[in-house]
Each structure stands twice: as structure tokens, then as C-alpha cells.
Amino acid sequence: MNSQSEPALERPMTSAGKWLLTFRAALIIFLFYGFVFCSILCLTAGVALEFAAGFAGGRFHWAVAVRRALRTHFGLLKIFARGLCRSKTSAARVLLEPEAAPELFVMIETLCARTQVVAPRQLWLEMQLNAWVRLGGFLPRRGRVVLGVGYDLLAGLTRDELEAVLAHELTHAKVAGHAVRHWLARGLERAVQISRGLSGRTAPRHRRVQIPFLTRSLVSAANWLAETAAESISASSRQDEFEADRGTAELCGGERARATLVKVESLSRFTARLPWRERVAQLQAHAFHPWLVKELAEVKTLDSQEITAEAPSRFSTHPSLRERLNAIPSYAGEGVEADTRPAIDLLAQPDAIAEKLMAKIQQTTLEQEERDSAELRAWAQKMRTATEMRPAQVCGAGVVIVSEIAGATAWIMGTTLDVATIIFIVSVLGMLMYWLGRYREQFILPTPDFGLLKMTWHSERSVNDKAIEKAQSAFRASAAGKSKSRTAAMLARKSFEALRECDYARAVVAARLCLAQEPDSVTASMASAISGAWLGQGREATAALSAVQRAAGLRGPSICWGAAWAYMLRGNWARAEALLQQALAARPADPTLLNLRALCQSRRGKIQSAIISARRACQPRPVNREHAKFLIDLLLEGGYLREAQQQLAPLDGHIRHDLELMLTALRLNLLLRDIETANHWAETLLRDEPPPYLLVRVGVVYELARQSERAARFYREALARAYFPDACLGLARLAAEENNLAAARQHTLDALNLRQTPGRFATPPLELLRPILLQLAALEPPTRFCRAWIATLGVAGAPGALTGKSFMVYAASQPEAERYLRTVMEAMAPQGPRLVPAHLGWRQAPPEHQPNGPARPGVQPLAEDGSSSPFQGFQRRGLWQPHFTPAAAPADATPPLQKCA
């Protein structure tokens, strides 16, 4: 086997080698700080000069170019300044007092005495499978020690295994250089933050945008420093881990240290896929810690093949598991009888502590979501100003400029107080004219009921020619004999009336006829944007929204609501949420707007904020059943079983007549772990020849509850009746969970077939392209020798929808990359023409897209700006798309149980 396929294993170094690593890391951090301060000084001087030149130059062409450069350099300066300021985030943890875990404190004090380390000043508990130690002061063994332990560690380990973990952390406190490590970590954090900020300046929306030389130079230097610092500090950290492992072996024995490492790694892979909603649900069912102990006890230990498959990374702070196991020596005391009692019993009241911990986690999560909302409000504030001035504003701006010139002339020549007063009054009148001349919202966009929006979303998104001709004839007949302005007003009113009923087909016809009469109509542009977005006409919708923003700015409740409506139909949840916040400022109690904001928040993972919005929409009581069902759905997504049961109780008489409520009852009982009752609801839901899409939805519900056999059964039944890429992807996830990689790969490729007609409510393969390709890549073992290529499909040999599209392909060589891409293309068109090299254009990906560490070979779609993201045309997601649409897996995903919407 060559060196490429089998890299040399890292081993512990001597003291001199570790000192050199630390010295190199410190030198890089010194260089980084020097680079930052020199950049700040140069940029500050440049910004000052450009500001003076741009101000003095007035409206000259060269002055405009100087002001453009000023904005660029000032943006760079802000990135450096913000990068030096560390963002403070509250930690989701609780402080353990000695009376809450007396035996645990005794264990820690005993280990501290054996390691000759000062006892920790604080012991923190976190809801994760991890332990950590934070050091203060300058001297080893004498510094301030703070210890953190994960609740999952206590639930999954025995007392002896927990003792080995704590011994590892206390050995860190014994041997680590406190002040140096802390300084290096803070420097690396700032280096990464500045590198990311600067890299964002080199990701323009269009390839034609030329990046300034200064920006490119700063980005290259910052990236090199951040990468080199991360590599050096990570290498030093890995040596610390080797030393801590050796200390664990000295205290607890080598065999126990190895066994604990393997078990912790096995548990970590399982808990990464354990849904948060299940934790909250089990806590509300008053059986949290017994449930968690039982779940973790059933985790299978990693076998030797899985241990060997882990690829070391030069940016990892921990060695690979195989390297750590090989480096642990054996010591005396290996045969001592083990204490196999559960470590969770060291806590006096495990469930009470877990409840306090989860409340803290939810509070911290809500704070993070609030920070995201603040960023969205800042974006919305920037979009409030129109980019084109109206005639009255042009006159006002002209008056102000003339008065400024007159004032400057009068000041140079000397003038009386009366003249100065007149000039001042004229200037004020010009500013008033400018302010009064801006666009004023002259229409009220209707807000359909939440239930109507939901119902019409599932309708067919197409309009036949006969319907268009019929609507055009009706509108032209209504406009007969009217003037051009009255015709435009009538058509704008008709388009809004159609939108009130969610009749997007009639709305788009009326809007386009109105625009033919009055091209600058903001009302018609808004209706055209909404209806065009519903029809999937992305370019038309974007152009109409741009026209509204140029003419009026995204301000005013109706404009903000209309733009949010269009963005939701296009699947841009972030912008929709930002604009809905603006619309709710004028109508804070509108239940439809509140629910739609909750929908956007839930689609973006802000489940706590979404639940708060949905609760407000249902106060004092839900407007109708659809509002209540949406709130219950969010509560179940968050695991709030008690409140979900309270909200479901008034609907008890409707459950057996409403498929969605029956599905809700099924989810509720699965979260309660009442499998028998859940199976009863599944049988009730699927009796009398249910539609195939319902089988897929039930399968996803069982999959999320980790009931794999029943989930696979429902997926197969659905596929036997219609083609559902969603079901194929579900079977692939289940097969990957069972480590059946061949079956998982085949099911994933089946989900790409563009030749088959998807069943009703199935997600088309192109809309699932990113999660499908991520799932396919997750089946490949990670390798350290991946490179990135960009492949562009020509006209011949590619499915029509993919012609001209680009893909990022990760592989060890270009022939391998061609093989991966060919496999994907042949899965999309099984009987189509074979893809040959002449149909492809290949080029090396730029350095910023090359993997720095181990990567999984595979294919990813590439956006027009060069970033790896879904195609612009495929970003639309349904508001209430059936719940079996999976979200995208993380880029470095192991075979995942992907979260479903």
C-alpha cells in the first residue's frame, strides 16, 4: 500500500519537539497581530485621505471613484476592527454545587490528590457528551481550574469510565501551560474571524465583478496566517492529548483508558443523531434520565474497521482514535475489578438537574435567535431607501445643492445676516421637498387567511393558455371605454382581489396587463412579483421586486408584506422573515403574519422563536383549526408535549376526520414512546387505500422516532405505487444507518432519476439535488488527499435542466472526479446518452475551495458565484411542502439521519 492511501500515524513527541511546536504557534500569532495592526494603520490613513479627496472633489468623476474606493477600504477596516473584538456568548450550562452531586465531588477531589492538581473552583454541567478543563494563572498545578462535564457522559459511562475521563482532563490541568494556551487560542479565534470576514469580500454575486488588488492581497495574507496558525496550534494540542492519555493510563490503567476512548467515540456518533425534540419530550414525560441511560446502553461499540477508517486531519485538535489507542502505554493495575455502576447515579436528582440545564439551553438558544433577528432587522433597514429619486426629490436635491454653493460663495465673499438666513431657509425647504417627495404607500395589500395560503400552496403551479386568454378577455372587456390611467387602476385592483383569494393565475394576468398600461406601477409590480414567484418564474419575480425596491424602497406595511410573500414563495426564508418583522410593526396582532413569520423562523432552525410567534398568533384562542394545527406542529418539533396535548384537546372531535391531525397524534405518541398507540394511529391513518404521499410522510415520522423497520416498510409501499425521490432518500438513510453501504448508494442514485414522473406531492429530484449528493458523498470514506475540480456541463450529454450548470467535484484525481460525475449523470438519465469528456469543461477549483483536511469524495452543485450551494433555480421550497422533504446534510456528514422539515 502506498503512502498516499496509508498516511503515517502521528506519535507523541519529546519535550523539545513539543516546545518547538508551541514556539512556532506563538511566532505565527505574533505575525498575525503585526499584520492586523499594520493593516489597520494603513487603512486608517488611506480612508482619511480618500475622505478628504472625495469630499473636496464634489461631483467630479474622479471623486466618485475615490468615494467608491473609500467604501471598500472602510469596509475592510471594519472587518479588522470587529475581528479584534471577541464576540461574547452565554454558555448553555449550569453550575453544580457539592450537595447536588456529593459522590462526584469526592471522586474529583480524590483524582486531584493523585494528580497533585488544585481542586476545581467550579464544576459545570452541559448537555453533551464531552468533558473539558479551563485553566487560569501562569503556573501548572497552581492555577485556577474550572471543570466541565457532559450530562451524556454521566448517562452513558460507568463510574470507572467516568473516572478515566476526569483523569484525562485533570492531567491537562497538570501539564498544560495555562497563559500561553489561552493566548494562542484567543489569537487563533481572532485570526479565523478576520479571515472569514475578508473572504466574504471576495465572493461577489457575479463573476464579472473585479476584486481590488488590495482586497485580494489582504485576503491571501489573512488566510495563510489563519491556516498556518490553526495547523500549528492544532499540532501542539494533539501532543497535549497524547500526554493527557498517558496520564490517564498511569492513573486508571491502559486497558481502561483505551476502552473508555472507544466507548466515548461510539456514544458521540450516536448522540450526534439524537434529536433534541426527544430530549425535551422525555423530560416532560418525567422519565428523562432512565430513557437516556437506556438509549445509550444500546449503542454498539465501534469495530476495528470503523476505527481504522477515520482519517487524521492536520487541523484537528485531537489525534485520530487509532493514533490515540496506539500511543497509550500499559501500566500496572490492569486487573483491578471495575466499578460498573452507572455514573449518572453520582447526581442526587438527575432529572431536576436536567430540567434546569434544558431551561438554560433554551434561554441561550433564544438569545442566539434574537441576535440573528437583529441582523435581519439591520438588513431590512438598509432596504427601506429607494435607489431611484422621484421628480420632487430631484428638485429638492437640486435646491439643496444650489443653496450650498450659494452659501459657500457668500461665505467667501462676505455677506450679511439676511442673505445667510435666506440661504438657510432655502436649504431647509429643499430638504423638506426631498423628504415629502419620496414614495408614499398608496395601496393596501390584502392578507389571506393562513389556512387559505396553506391550501392553495398545494395546488398545481401552472397556468394553461386557455385560462390566460379567458382572463385577458374578461379584463379587456372590463377596461373597454376607460382611460389609460383608469384601466391601470382597475387592473391593479383586480390583481389584489385575486391575491386576496390566492388566485395567482388571475393575479399575474391582471398585473401584466396593468404593467403594459403603466410600466412604473408599484402596485402592479408587487402583484407580478408575488404571482410570478408562485408560478416558479424566478427571474420575473426578482425583476418585479427590484422595480419595487428602486421606486419605493422596501418600506411600509403593504410593501414589506408583499415582498415577504414573494420571498416565501421563492424559498428565501431569511429575507421573508426580515420583511415580516417590518410588516408586523404596523400590525402586531395579525395572526396570519405571525404564523408566516413562525414558518420562516422554523425553516431557518429558529424553533424557539417560531413557537413564540405561533403562540402569539393563537392568543387568546386560535382563529381556526389551521392556526391551531400549525402551533401544535411546532410544539411537537420542539418537544413540548404537555402544551401540544393541551392544544390538541379541543380538536379531539376532529382528529378522526382530519389526516393532518391523525398524523399529529401519531407523532405525539411516538415522542411519548407509546409505540402501540402510535401504531394504532398509523393503521387508522392508512386504512382505505391512502394516497402514496401519505405513506412517505408516515415513514418519515417513524424514521425520526428511530423506528427504522416500520419506516422502511412505509417507504417501500409508497415506492411500489409511485415514484418518490423522498422515499428513495429515506431508504438510503436507513440503509446507511445499518452500514449497508451498497444498498444506501443504490437508493440514493434512484432518487436522482429524472426519467420517472414523481408522484403527487413528491419533491422533484432537482429540488433534492443537494441533500441527495451530500448523502451520496457521506457513503464515501474520508480521505486526506482530495482535490476539488469544477466541471461545467455542455449542451450534449446532460439532462436539459442541467445544461450549462457547474459542479464542484472532490476526488483524489481528475479521472476519479470524472467517474463520480458520470455516475451521477447516468443516474439522472438511465437510458440517456452517456457523458463523455467532450461534454465537460474541467478546471481546478480556486484555492479557497480546496479542502484543507480530510474530505469525502463526491459531487456538489455550484452556484453562479462559485460557492458550493444549490442552483439558483432550484432554491424554491414549498411553504407547506409535505413533511417528508429532508433538509440538506452538513458538508462533512457521516451517514446521517437528516432532519426533515
Side-chain angles (χ1 to χ4, degrees), residues 802-873:
L802 299 178
T803 300
K805 298 296 181 181
S806 296
F807 289 84
M808 184 83 75
V809 188
Y810 297 94
S813 62
Q814 185 170 325
E816 275 193 41
E818 294 175 0
R819 179 172 60 84
Y820 283 122
L821 186 59
R822 190 182 305 112
T823 301
V824 170
M825 292 298 111
E826 290 175 358
M828 288 184 175
Q831 278 77 42
R834 292 182 63 83
L835 195 67
V836 298
H839 301 156
L840 295 170
W842 288 92
R843 69 180 189 274
Q844 280 267 356
E848 60 267 22
H849 294 296
Q850 293 294 342
N852 288 320
R856 297 179 185 273
V859 183
Q860 283 300 306
L862 192 70
E864 292 180 0
D865 61 359
S867 61
S868 184
S869 65
F871 295 141
Q872 299 296 327

Side-chain angles (χ1 to χ4, degrees), residues 261-588:
L261 275 177
V262 174
K263 186 169 184 179
V264 169
E265 179 65 23
S266 305
L267 292 174
S268 67
R269 297 191 183 188
F270 173 79
T271 55
R273 300 191 300 269
L274 192 63
W276 174 252
R277 70 176 75 84
E278 282 197 46
R279 294 178 182 266
V280 180
Q282 293 303 319
L283 183 65
Q284 297 207 348
H286 303 288
F288 180 72
H289 94 270
W291 164 80
L292 185 58
V293 169
K294 180 182 177 182
E295 292 288 336
L296 297 181
E298 296 175 358
V299 176
K300 297 179 180 179
T301 304
L302 294 177
D303 57 29
S304 58
Q305 184 177 1
E306 291 176 296
I307 294 174
T308 306
E310 184 181 1
S313 171
R314 60 194 177 104
F315 296 107
S316 174
T317 57
H318 288 61
S320 68
L321 183 58
R322 181 165 63 148
E323 291 169 336
R324 297 180 71 177
L325 294 176
N326 290 342
I328 293 178
S330 297
Y331 289 91
E334 301 285 350
V336 178
E337 185 177 353
D339 187 349
T340 58
R341 290 178 294 172
I344 194 70
D345 294 340
L346 294 171
L347 300 179
Q349 295 179 320
D351 280 359
I353 294 175
E355 188 168 359
K356 186 187 300 185
L357 181 56
M358 286 193 177
K360 180 64 176 177
I361 292 172
Q362 289 165 352
Q363 176 189 346
T364 305
T365 303
L366 189 58
E367 290 173 0
Q368 294 172 350
E369 293 175 1
E370 286 295 329
R371 284 194 290 271
D372 176 79
S373 299
E375 292 177 2
L376 293 180
R377 285 193 292 271
W379 174 85
Q381 190 68 28
K382 293 178 182 177
M383 302 300 291
R384 289 173 63 85
T385 305
T387 55
E388 291 182 354
M389 291 193 296
R390 298 170 66 81
Q393 289 181 296
V394 173
C395 293
V399 169
V400 171
I401 293 173
V402 170
S403 62
E404 286 181 351
I405 295 174
T409 304
W411 178 76
I412 294 171
M413 299 179 62
T415 184
T416 63
L417 181 62
D418 294 339
V419 175
T421 303
I422 293 172
I423 292 173
F424 176 75
I425 292 173
V426 171
S427 178
V428 171
L429 289 175
M431 289 187 285
L432 185 62
M433 185 184 303
Y434 182 89
W435 183 74
L436 291 175
R438 69 180 184 178
Y439 180 85
R440 305 285 175 175
E441 195 172 76
Q442 301 170 352
F443 60 88
I444 299 176
L445 181 65
T447 306
D449 182 70
F450 183 76
L452 179 60
L453 284 167
K454 176 180 176 179
M455 180 182 65
T456 53
W457 185 265
H458 290 304
S459 58
E460 186 68 25
R461 290 195 176 197
S462 61
V463 184
N464 58 52
D465 295 338
K466 291 184 178 180
I468 292 177
E469 292 176 2
K470 182 178 179 181
Q472 287 176 342
S473 300
F475 288 137
R476 287 186 177 124
S478 301
K482 296 180 180 179
S483 65
K484 192 173 183 179
S485 59
R486 291 183 62 190
T487 299
M490 182 272 295
L491 290 170
R493 186 175 65 254
K494 291 291 185 181
S495 67
F496 275 22
E497 290 174 358
L499 288 176
R500 180 183 291 110
E501 303 299 326
C502 290
D503 188 349
Y504 298 99
R506 292 184 70 248
V508 72
V509 174
R512 288 175 180 174
L513 289 175
C514 180
L515 287 172
Q517 298 289 326
E518 192 176 334
D520 297 331
S521 172
V522 174
T523 307
S525 295
M526 182 59 68
S528 176
I530 297 169
S531 50
W534 179 81
L535 288 169
Q537 299 170 348
R539 292 184 178 178
E540 291 80 355
T542 301
L545 278 177
S546 298
V548 173
Q549 202 279 328
R550 288 196 306 271
L554 299 184
R555 61 186 305 143
S558 289
I559 289 179
C560 287
W561 156 227
W565 193 349
Y567 278 128
M568 281 187 294
L569 291 169
R570 291 288 299 155
N572 195 328
W573 307 107
R575 292 190 175 185
E577 180 187 348
L579 293 168
L580 283 170
Q581 289 180 8
Q582 300 291 315
L584 280 166
R587 292 183 282 171

Side-chain angles (χ1 to χ4, degrees), residues 625 629 651-662 681 684:
R625 196 190 309 169
K629 284 158 61 174
L651 303 177
D652 189 62
H654 302 281
I655 292 180
R656 294 187 177 274
H657 310 288
D658 190 311
L659 294 179
E660 289 187 347
L661 286 177
M662 281 194 278
W681 278 113
T684 304

Side-chain angles (χ1 to χ4, degrees), residues 727-737 740 743-745 747-748 775 779:
C728 295
L729 196 54
L731 288 173
R733 293 191 297 267
L734 295 175
E737 287 289 324
N740 188 349
R745 187 172 289 104
H747 288 309
T748 308
Q775 179 66 42
L779 302 175

Side-chain angles (χ1 to χ4, degrees), residues 127-157:
M127 186 61 72
Q128 59 181 1
L129 195 107
N130 193 19
W132 51 268
V133 64
R134 191 175 66 217
L135 312 173
F138 291 90
L139 299 176
R141 309 188 189 185
R142 301 278 181 194
R144 297 181 298 275
V145 179
V146 178
L147 190 62
V149 182
Y151 192 98
D152 291 359
L153 272 180
L154 298 175
L157 300 182

